[in-house]
Amino acid sequence: MSKPTSPEDIAAWLTEKVAFYLEIPEADILPDVKLVEYGLESVYALALVGDVEDEFEIEVEPTLAWDYPTINALTGLLCELLAGVPAA
């Protein structure tokens, strides 16, 4: 499977990962609700950082989920970071 590159694909990928960690349906995760409000704990936030780094081959801060607390905020950051990363 190719890496998500469009904002929509990145948001869907993030939603899938968060839903997995929280054990809730993807449809229950709204893009503008803070992930902590869903109960995202620090261990899963750090796991999400690892997923992002592995999937997109970039380095991000361990505080990613707190600095960019919603799916929309994370998507915006990743789009910006990926725009500056040369294609492999």
Side-chain angles (χ1 to χ4, degrees):
M1 182 175 182
S2 63
K3 291 180 184 161
T5 55
S6 73
E8 296 80 13
D9 290 345
I10 292 170
W13 181 86
L14 286 166
T15 300
E16 178 185 324
K17 292 296 178 185
V18 170
F20 171 79
Y21 289 126
L22 296 175
E23 299 180 354
I24 62 174
E26 291 176 36
D28 289 353
I29 298 175
L30 301 175
D32 287 322
V33 174
K34 290 183 177 180
L35 300 178
V36 70
E37 291 183 28
Y38 291 113
L40 188 71
E41 297 176 4
S42 59
V43 66
Y44 296 124
L46 288 173
L48 183 62
V49 166
D51 290 340
V52 165
E53 291 182 336
D54 290 345
E55 181 69 17
F56 298 103
E57 298 176 353
I58 58 173
E59 287 188 25
V60 293
E61 294 295 322
T63 56
L64 178 74
W66 286 273
D67 296 340
Y68 301 88
T70 67
I71 295 293
N72 279 347
L74 287 166
T75 299
L77 172 71
L78 290 175
C79 287
E80 288 178 20
L81 291 174
L82 294 173
V85 174

